[in-house]
Amino acid sequence: MAHGILTRSARVTANLAARARSLTWAPAASVFDGRITATSNYARRAAPGFASPCGPIGIPRCVRTAAASAASMKQVTFEPDTLPSVGLSSSGLDAAAGDLLVLAVTEEEFATEGDVTSIKSEQLRHLDESLGGVLTEIVAWGGFDGKQGSSSRVVRYTGPGTKAKHVAMVGLGKGAKLTAAADWGVSPFQALGGAVATLAKTNKAVDVTVTLLTQPDPVLRERALSQIVTGALLGGYESSRFKSKKSPTASKLASVQVLMDLDAAAADSAVARGVAAARGNLVTRYLVEAPPNVCTPTHLAEAAAHIAAKSPDVFTLKVYEKDECEAMGMGCYLGVAEASAEPPKFIHLKYSPKGGSASRKIAIIGKGLTFDSGGYNLKAGAGSMIELMKFDMGGAAATLGAACILAELQPGDVEIHFIIASCENMVAGAGLRPGDILTAANGKTVEVNNTDAEGRLTLADAMWFAQEKCGVTSMVDIATLTGACIIALGDNIAGLFTPSDSLAADLTAASKGAGEKIWRMPMEEEYFESLKSSVADMKNTGARYGGSISAALFLKQFVKEGVEWAHLDVAGPVWNEKLGLPTGFGAQLLAEWAVAQRAAN
């Protein structure tokens, strides 16, 4: 078979094809809106003894009992149907009504001597007097001094100065941070929004008013409101879609009103940007949290169709099936997919600015392994994390989350290609074996010495597609690629690998705007020596040490001269292990970067 060692023999291929046809169930033909196209009817396979899949969206395949049959499963959505309303309030503090009034305060508002904290600033003292001394009461309980993201006790209130039923305070941290863009991690305003949502959720508040005692710098005010909105919409997140009963701890928040000195037009723009960022993050989380019997390659393709259908004026979608990928010579990608009963889906979602003209073509490429068993190098034993390998498509989820954000922002003068080579990495008789040699779409051969280093194989062919089929001049791939990156940077920081200083600067700026931490890592060319093979152009893994660097060097072999490229290894921050929840990391960062490209030379 051209450009790839894909099966052991033509006879095995024919037998597998016949078996697949016998197990295929085809739903009714899907009708995609406008310019969206697909190359198949999303045929699904069901193993003998398992319930046949049904329904239009992501129905689980591995259901063994009648009581839990696929027919009884709820339709799986790609994003929340509704979100709380968040906006600017034109009324004063005395007119603030609803369940909860939150006062955002800085550390400088307080003085601490020993274990006792008291109100220090004249401004806060004056406000305390107008509120009947309730702030003094809150401070007297202790444990609150205005640190960023901290929250005080919530006090029931029936006194003067406000119509709100309860009062609380949230810390903004140092006042100096309100006059400059955040340099690392979440801004005080993102933290404020998140803390407000948490307070509302804990206290079952429906309507909340937020006022900032110290207003941010006027230049930053629009961005600040946007970040408050995003934080407020994400702070109450919990995973409940796959539970049989409604969550008793679910947030009841319906509206958040922010008191800030900002004109109406700027406020509307800020709110729209904040809502878009939150929606993109939630799309990313919904995909990552979904179990692998729901979030299959087909489910990812349907998520792309969902995004494209919402904005058919700027998006087109094509999903390439296995035979089409074979025709393009994607031997590395299809080698990984070979052992799975789930058909691979190569997703190409294209954003074209209104008017059609664009001076730049860029690509965002996401690793889309919807489940990674490790293949014959099976993930086994303590620490293998096989039970969490549903998140190995976190890069693909962030790619689609970024597309969701950009559907709302609609930047001009830039054409954006969202590319995902999606499949599962499973174990089967016809599957990829250690020692096999695969041929990538660009003609390079790879000796597979570890089937658990599969993500880089799929990305190699996706990167080729971005350059050869889309003509991009700048591309960023995002992937949960190596455990080595978690060892190096922990679980809060993504690794950035690129030979381009300008692209590194652009992505770092985008990460600051998004409040998502990245750290540029070295690309030590000498480490490529361990990837050299005696029988092929290269191996897919190198020496044990510096594994995240050698993985990036592997990907670099598939970048054409003159094309800017960066790799983001998000294996750590894609998942919050303490909470057992996805973070949505990457979607906003990538969207920020893409928007900035419209003004780039």
Side-chain angles (χ1 to χ4, degrees):
M1 201 171 290
H3 294 292
I5 300 172
L6 302 178
T7 56
R8 297 180 185 178
S9 68
R11 178 180 58 80
V12 171
T13 302
N15 289 341
L16 287 172
R19 180 174 179 272
R21 284 192 295 272
S22 71
L23 296 175
T24 297
W25 170 85
S30 299
V31 179
F32 289 137
D33 190 12
R35 296 147 61 212
I36 306 168
T37 61
T39 58
S40 85
N41 60 2
Y42 290 131
R44 300 291 304 276
R45 303 175 187 178
F50 288 14
S52 297
C54 64
I57 297 176
I59 300 301
R61 69 171 189 267
C62 300
V63 182
R64 293 181 178 273
T65 66
S69 68
S72 69
M73 289 291 291
K74 296 184 295 183
Q75 180 169 300
V76 179
T77 58
F78 297 113
E79 60 180 307
D81 294 330
T82 60
L83 290 174
S85 66
V86 185
L88 194 68
S89 175
S90 57
S91 62
L93 191 64
D94 57 345
D99 299 303
L100 177 63
L101 170 65
V102 175
L103 306 173
V105 293
T106 65
E107 291 182 35
E108 288 81 4
E109 312 287 350
F110 304 95
T112 301
E113 294 184 10
D115 295 331
V116 179
T117 299
S118 60
I119 295 175
K120 174 182 176 182
S121 76
E122 288 297 325
Q123 185 180 18
L124 192 57
R125 285 177 181 172
H126 178 72
L127 181 58
D128 184 40
E129 290 175 5
S130 68
L131 292 173
V134 68
L135 304 184
T136 297
E137 180 184 348
I138 290 173
V139 173
W141 266 313
F144 179 77
D145 55 7
K147 289 200 167 39
Q148 180 173 313
S150 64
S151 56
S152 74
R153 292 196 182 194
V154 174
V155 177
R156 184 163 182 82
Y157 186 70
T158 57
T162 183
K163 297 178 182 178
K165 298 175 184 176
H166 298 82
V167 176
M169 290 187 285
V170 166
L172 290 168
K174 300 288 186 183
K177 290 188 176 182
L178 305 186
T179 61
D183 191 56
W184 182 250
V186 298
S187 74
F189 309 109
Q190 287 169 292
L192 168 61
V196 167
T198 300
L199 279 174
K201 182 177 179 180
T202 302
N203 294 277
K204 302 189 182 303
V206 177
D207 302 305
V208 178
T209 299
V210 181
T211 184
L212 286 77
L213 203 61
T214 301
Q215 293 284 307
D217 188 283
V219 177
L220 300 174
R221 208 160 287 177
E222 187 173 341
R223 168 72 79 166
L225 178 58
S226 178
Q227 292 174 340
I228 292 170
V229 170
T230 301
L233 294 178
L234 296 177
Y237 170 80
E238 66 175 79
S239 178
S240 59
R241 290 183 299 152
F242 303 101
K243 295 181 179 180
S244 60
K245 296 180 180 179
K246 186 176 180 179
S247 170
T249 60
S251 176
K252 298 182 181 297
L253 184 63
S255 72
V256 178
Q257 296 296 308
V258 181
L259 302 180
M260 184 182 287
D261 185 12
L262 190 65
D263 69 76
D268 288 345
S269 175
V271 169
R273 187 183 183 99
V275 171
R279 283 196 175 278
N281 180 285
L282 288 167
V283 164
T284 305
R285 294 194 198 203
Y286 270 34
L287 290 170
V288 175
E289 79 176 9
N293 62 329
V294 168
C295 188
T296 62
T298 296
H299 186 75
L300 283 184
E302 290 170 342
H306 167 77
I307 294 167
K310 292 178 66 177
S311 302
D313 53 335
V314 292
F315 277 120
T316 56
L317 171 67
K318 184 170 178 65
V319 177
Y320 293 88
E321 303 299 331
K322 179 180 178 180
D323 57 344
E324 294 173 291
C325 295
E326 287 175 346
M328 288 187 283
M330 294 182 175
C332 285
Y333 165 46
L334 294 178
V336 175
E338 192 171 27
S340 176
E342 288 289 335
K345 301 291 178 181
F346 191 96
I347 301 162
H348 178 209
L349 181 63
K350 177 183 175 183
Y351 169 86
S352 301
K354 288 181 178 178
S357 63
S359 62
R360 286 178 61 81
K361 293 183 179 181
I362 66 173
I364 297 172
I365 304 165
K367 176 184 171 183
L369 268 292
T370 57
F371 186 74
D372 177 21
S373 71
Y376 276 106
N377 290 104
L378 187 69
K379 295 178 185 290
S384 71
M385 296 176 68
I386 191 170
E387 72 282 359
L388 283 176
M389 282 303 107
K390 66 179 184 178
F391 74 44
D392 212 19
M393 40 61 67
T399 297
L400 293 177
C404 181
I405 296 172
L406 293 165
E408 299 295 326
L409 303 183
Q410 298 200 359
D413 199 35
V414 60
E415 180 179 291
I416 311 167
H417 298 265
F418 305 88
I419 299 167
I420 300 165
S422 184
C423 63
E424 292 180 325
N425 184 24
M426 304 294 280
V427 180
L432 186 65
R433 298 161 297 188
D436 283 351
I437 296 176
L438 303 178
T439 305
N442 71 347
K444 291 190 177 184
T445 57
V446 180
E447 177 189 1
V448 178
N449 62 347
N450 188 338
T451 62
D452 197 20
E454 81 301 327
R456 65 199 69 182
L457 298 172
T458 66
L459 289 171
D461 284 339
M463 290 165 63
W464 170 86
F465 182 90
Q467 296 166 96
E468 296 296 332
K469 298 297 184 180
C470 306
V472 305
T473 56
S474 185
M475 59 183 181
V476 176
D477 79 76
I478 180 167
T480 50
L481 205 65
T482 67
C485 202
I486 304 177
I487 300 300
L489 296 175
D491 56 9
N492 291 326
I493 306 169
L496 166 63
F497 300 81
T498 179
S500 168
D501 291 341
S502 62
L503 185 51
D506 288 347
L507 286 167
T508 299
S511 75
K512 291 178 180 180
E516 295 178 331
K517 298 176 183 178
I518 63 173
W519 191 262
R520 190 177 184 185
M521 300 285 280
M523 296 193 68
E524 182 62 47
E525 294 291 342
E526 181 182 330
Y527 290 6
F528 187 74
E529 290 294 318
S530 68
L531 289 169
K532 290 184 176 178
S533 167
S534 61
V535 293
D537 293 332
M538 68 192 90
K539 297 181 289 188
N540 70 325
T541 62
R544 176 184 177 189
Y545 300 107
S548 60
I549 298 173
S550 60
L553 292 172
F554 177 92
L555 294 175
K556 185 172 179 282
Q557 308 310 304
F558 299 90
V559 181
K560 291 173 59 177
E561 186 174 351
V563 175
E564 268 194 324
W565 159 78
H567 161 60
L568 289 170
D569 193 329
V570 297
V574 74
W575 189 260
N576 185 320
E577 186 174 358
K578 181 178 179 180
L579 299 177
L581 293 172
T583 62
F585 187 96
Q588 192 176 352
L589 186 164
L590 293 168
E592 292 267 355
W593 172 71
V595 168
Q597 299 313 294
R598 64 183 177 181
N601 295 323

